[in-house]
Amino acid sequence: MFILSFVFLFLGTGFKNADTYSADSSIQTTKVAGYYKKVFQAEDSIVSGNYIYAGKLYQEAFILKKPFCIDLSNALMVELLGKKDSAKVVSYLSSILTIHEETLNELLAEKESRSGYGLSPSQRSKLLRQLPYWNNIVPILRKPLFLSDKKNKIKLEKLLKSDQDIRHSACTKLYSDFYANSKCRKEIMYVDSINQKEVIKIIQTGTIDQFSVGKSGMSAIYIIALHNGAWLRNNIHNLLHTMVLSGSFDAREYAELMDRYYGEHRDYENPSNSAKKIHLPGYGTQESNIVNDILFIYLFDENKRNEIDNRRDSIFLESYKNRCMKLIWQFNQSYFHFLRYDILVADGEEYINKRIAECQNPSSNCIMTQRNVINPK
């Protein structure tokens, strides 16, 4: 009974009230800044192997605002490797199940990490089953907890379906670069325009976050915003920036979204008006990738690094240097994942050797490391 009471106190009062917006937005922004500061400190403690202190920092962060799922996942693993506090394990796991709308059986059966951005589910499942109190908490975890805004979640999922359907239409199957084809482009632009307007309406209806529309709803917002970037539309991006400051949209995902928008897209009607000129080097989220189990990270000179850090600091993110250090650490273990990176499919041995040679050049601006997985005991 104690564990169950703690769960509803933690999920209800602890999480819910933490995101009640203050009339003074600066107070809310201070809370959000504090959340990220403690989360990044918790990650530093994980890297140094101090799981007890990391668990304390996560708990303090989650009091300031409702946690993001990636932080809940790492906090859960901290407990499984550290104190094994039953109330926290149930609280974190219940929240993860709610956000992903999964049953306990579905979560335990997972084999792969979600998009390279979360814990290794198979290892997590093994540690959960080894808990001495596991059989006692299973009935609690089987009780469903529901998202608070299913209506908007369903709307967002339908918008995402229309986004994907138009990109798999008869027209797009005829052209490898369907964005460059005038007919395909106009069809896609029309659907994207409608989706953008609808997403803006949904965001403006109230508090939209992972606990209201789930991971699927937030992913729909991300993808529709990204695809509208192909036409240099940034209306959703401006709203998402406000959501970042209020704590309802993850700053790490926003930074990645903006870097992809400015780094990947161009003005198809006027190719000389490249969005890349406006923003790069951005937030530094697109400067690393994996090719055949080798991690490549691209560096910057001091001026560009300072520019990146100033931009990252404006949305509460840690420095680019710290990000790179955690990427390398994360690459060599499979229990914790703080950051997402691109995994490229190599075009054969010649391509790989070319990349390696580039990094081995003394004047190059990249570093590389081969995977050497060492997991915590």
Side-chain angles (χ1 to χ4, degrees), residues 74-90:
N74 285 317
L76 172 62
M77 187 57 83
V78 160
E79 288 302 321
L80 296 179
L81 294 172
K83 293 179 68 175
K84 299 179 175 59
D85 184 295
S86 59
K88 290 179 184 175
V89 168
V90 173

Side-chain angles (χ1 to χ4, degrees), residues 318-375:
E318 62 184 340
S319 70
Y320 182 70
K321 178 181 178 181
N322 285 359
R323 181 182 189 278
C324 291
M325 290 173 64
K326 286 181 181 177
L327 271 175
I328 295 171
W329 181 86
Q330 172 180 304
F331 181 61
N332 288 312
Q333 55 79 54
S334 58
Y335 278 75
F336 296 95
H337 292 269
F338 311 134
L339 303 157
R340 190 157 48 188
Y341 34 51
D342 292 331
I343 300 177
L344 302 182
V345 178
D347 292 330
E349 187 175 348
E350 182 180 350
Y351 173 79
I352 299 168
N353 291 337
K354 180 180 178 182
R355 295 289 298 275
I356 293 174
E358 288 174 354
C359 272
Q360 288 177 336
N361 187 328
S363 62
S364 76
N365 65 339
C366 82
I367 58 174
M368 65 179 182
T369 178
Q370 190 122 20
R371 192 187 300 274
N372 180 26
V373 175
I374 302 175
N375 285 317

Side-chain angles (χ1 to χ4, degrees), residues 125-143:
S125 298
K126 181 179 179 181
L127 290 172
L128 285 168
R129 295 178 190 279
Q130 290 175 346
L131 292 171
Y133 50 78
W134 175 245
N135 290 334
N136 295 330
I137 65 174
V138 165
I140 300 173
L141 295 170
R142 293 197 189 283
K143 294 182 179 181

Side-chain angles (χ1 to χ4, degrees), residues 15 22 32 42 49 59 68 95 105 172 177 185 189 213 251 294 324:
F15 285 178
S22 166
V32 176
Q59 188 176 19
F68 295 112
S95 296
N105 287 344
T172 61
D177 186 1
R185 183 170 66 247
M189 287 178 73
V213 298
I294 301 175
C324 291

Side-chain angles (χ1 to χ4, degrees), residues 11-12 15-16 19 66 95 98-99 101 144-154 205-215 218:
L11 291 177
F15 285 178
K16 188 174 181 179
D19 266 6
K66 285 183 284 188
S95 296
T98 302
I99 292 169
E101 290 192 291
L145 294 168
F146 301 102
L147 297 171
S148 61
D149 195 348
K150 293 274 285 189
K151 182 179 178 181
N152 277 325
K153 170 197 171 284
I154 293 171
T205 60
T207 302
I208 300 296
D209 60 24
Q210 290 184 346
F211 284 90
S212 63
V213 298
K215 184 66 175 177
M218 298 303 288

